[in-house]
Amino acid sequence: MQTTAFKIGTRGSPLALAQALETRDRLRAAHGLPEDAFAIEVISTSGDRIQDRPLSEVGGKGLFTKEIEEALLSGRIDIAVHSSKDMATVLPDGLELSAFLPREDPRDAFIGKTAPSITELPHGATVGSSSLRRQALILRMRPDLKVVMFRGNVQTRLRKLEEGVADGTILANAGLRRLGLEHVATHLMPLATFPPAPGQGAICIESRIADGRAASLIAAINHQPTAQALACERAFLAVLDGSCRTPIAGHAVVEGDNISFTGLILTPDGREAHEVSGSGRAEDAAAIGRAAGQEVRAKAGTRFFEGWA
Ligand SMILES: NCc1[nH]cc(CCC(=O)O)c1CC(=O)O
């Protein structure tokens, strides 16, 4: 079909590579193309290089995408494959999220070393995580626990756990499943009490706006219910953005023509939490997410955002 390979950009972690390969294989199947119609380009990002500080301190989500987005804009790659959870709500000019793959399990998985679940951990036990949302949700359940910083890719975090750096850790079950590591989970956190980050479990494809070749290839693998759920979750997040130091959870489920959304914002210590829900027609996904964001922001009040933002 084409003379030059279609270039798929990705980070180099095992999870990122698995996501890029899944995308390539879906594109191949949808269009009946051979493997060499595609080339996977691995791009190292600042987020991969800075390992010793929480993301919220060093500039947040953009760190995992900056170099990849530059490669898209310069034409070095044709599409980029990302975890939706890692994507900022505002993209660089000229780029868009053009497709979402069918969502994996959105739940968080607890991987326990000294106990199988958070409720069974001994008093004062430590849980490794550098996610503000997970920290706040853990402390809301168990104020006695200590959350210690855990960064690096999935394998690095599991190794730290093996080394005894913490009594347990929490990872996205989607990532574990994509790596064939779901057996390490000792407990799956319920969506109702431990809601996921907006976008968790969904792979997205970023491309140049008005790139016709990319658009026609990608359209065939877009999963509309996941795209609508993500439109809702990302609209919710966009209303609450401005502080990447607010723990935010949000999850939308699309069933047929309907969408239902639940969002939660917490203080980092988990002591104060504000929940919101909304539902309606799936085609109104973004408006429903936006309204939920405005509602929960009003519920929480300005004082809520002032303490640490
Ligand atoms: N911030 C890293 C990151 N980004 C997406 C995932 C998991 C995969 C997904 O949500 O699709 C992970 C690792 C984790 O949270 O365990």
Side-chain angles (χ1 to χ4, degrees):
M1 176 186 133
Q2 63 244 354
T3 46
T4 53
F6 187 74
K7 296 196 192 65
I8 301 174
T10 176
R11 293 168 51 208
S13 72
L15 176 58
L17 287 173
Q19 297 183 155
L21 290 173
E22 178 180 338
T23 303
R24 183 199 62 187
D25 291 343
R26 284 180 187 271
L27 285 170
R28 281 187 62 190
H31 301 285
L33 288 167
E35 193 170 309
D36 66 3
F38 300 94
I40 307 259
E41 296 278 330
V42 172
I43 296 165
S44 159
T45 70
S46 326
D48 297 309
R49 291 188 289 265
I50 306 169
Q51 296 275 342
D52 57 342
R53 283 166 285 165
L55 281 188
S56 51
E57 258 173 37
V58 288
K61 298 182 170 177
L63 284 186
F64 282 118
T65 55
K66 183 168 173 281
E67 288 84 355
I68 294 178
E69 288 172 329
E70 285 165 3
L72 260 180
L73 288 167
S74 74
R76 194 184 138 200
I77 56 172
D78 296 301
I79 58 169
V81 179
H82 305 279
S83 293
S84 303
K85 183 171 83 166
D86 298 337
M87 299 306 288
T89 51
V90 179
L91 303 180
D93 280 345
L95 300 181
E96 63 182 349
L97 298 188
S98 41
F100 296 86
L101 302 191
R103 188 174 224 164
E104 249 291 358
D105 186 350
R107 286 175 296 179
D108 275 324
F110 180 72
I111 301 133
K113 195 165 159 62
T114 57
S117 69
I118 291 184
T119 34
E120 291 161 280
L121 282 172
H123 187 89
T126 56
V127 180
S129 175
S130 44
S131 146
L132 283 170
R133 174 188 60 89
R134 289 173 180 151
Q135 171 190 297
L137 289 169
I138 291 165
L139 293 175
R140 181 161 80 139
M141 290 175 68
R142 287 285 306 269
D144 61 296
L145 297 180
K146 283 191 265 311
V147 180
V148 297
M149 198 182 74
F150 245 38
R151 281 231 22 226
N153 67 36
V154 173
Q155 284 81 355
T156 309
R157 296 189 217 185
L158 292 176
R159 182 161 35 79
K160 285 188 187 172
L161 193 61
E162 274 315 303
E163 289 165 357
V165 181
D167 295 293
T169 188
I170 294 187
L171 290 167
N173 199 37
L176 293 178
R177 290 178 62 96
R178 291 194 184 106
L179 291 167
L181 289 172
E182 62 268 40
H183 58 274
V184 305
T186 55
H187 186 75
L188 293 175
M189 305 307 294
L191 290 169
T193 52
F194 213 93
Q200 185 158 304
I203 295 170
C204 66
I205 297 169
E206 189 178 22
S207 59
R208 289 181 292 274
I209 291 172
D211 177 345
R213 182 186 176 214
S216 62
L217 273 173
I218 292 162
I221 62 167
N222 183 47
H223 186 247
Q224 182 68 354
T226 301
Q228 290 169 324
L230 265 288
C232 182
E233 293 169 18
R234 286 176 56 75
F236 175 74
L237 192 58
V239 171
L240 298 166
D241 258 3
S243 161
C244 60
R245 303 201 34 82
T246 304
I248 300 172
H251 181 223
V253 176
V254 172
E255 271 167 342
D257 295 334
N258 296 309
I259 188 165
S260 54
F261 173 79
T262 309
L264 182 72
I265 58 175
L266 309 97
T267 49
D269 63 10
R271 284 207 249 177
E272 188 179 337
H274 299 276
E275 196 174 8
V276 66
S277 60
S279 62
R281 292 182 311 176
E283 65 195 65
D284 300 326
I288 290 163
R290 215 162 18 246
Q294 283 153 356
E295 187 184 328
V296 83
R297 202 173 56 186
K299 257 191 196 175
T302 49
R303 184 198 42 77
F304 176 88
F305 296 95
E306 275 160 8
W308 66 89

